[in-house]
Amino acid sequence: MKLASALCASLFALCAATAVQAQEYNKVPAGDAQYGQCLAYAAKLYEGGNEKSPIAGQSKAQAWCTCMWNETPEDFKGNLATFSESSKGKATNKICEKYADWG
């Protein structure tokens, strides 16, 4: 009985960990100005953005900007990267740094 309980707990933990790793955001529409601005800002000011992220086919900067684009409110029209540096954006930035494995 203990073995069955331990096996179930291990299986549950594995599924939960896999679900967190598998999270991907909506794709940013081609030519999106905010996303492009975010990439340019990130390339200019931050190091390591061209490194591979855990998201297939994306650099760390691309994954980070994709996360920022998805995590900000629909009506947000500002610069995603400068928002990440604001007091309001710090929590979002932490989420996105973790998502992109960049931080």
Side-chain angles (χ1 to χ4, degrees):
M1 186 66 172
K2 286 183 181 181
L3 181 60
S5 295
L7 183 59
C8 285
S10 296
L11 186 57
F12 178 77
L14 179 63
C15 289
T18 303
V20 170
Q21 287 285 357
Q23 175 190 4
E24 286 194 37
Y25 287 104
N26 295 325
K27 288 187 178 187
V28 178
D32 185 86
Q34 269 186 318
Y35 180 74
Q37 183 182 44
C38 181
L39 289 175
Y41 188 93
K44 183 178 173 184
L45 294 178
Y46 305 131
E47 294 181 15
N50 290 327
E51 294 173 10
K52 185 178 174 183
S53 79
I55 310 306
Q58 288 189 335
S59 68
K60 290 184 178 192
Q62 290 169 325
W64 182 75
C65 287
T66 299
C67 175
M68 290 298 297
W69 187 86
N70 277 276
E71 288 290 333
T72 55
E74 289 287 324
D75 60 347
F76 181 79
K77 302 294 182 210
N79 183 313
L80 297 169
T82 56
F83 172 72
S84 74
E85 296 170 348
S86 72
S87 57
K88 263 186 153 175
K90 288 192 185 282
T92 304
N93 182 47
K94 285 187 181 208
I95 292 167
C96 294
E97 283 180 343
K98 189 173 185 174
Y99 176 76
D101 191 28
W102 193 20

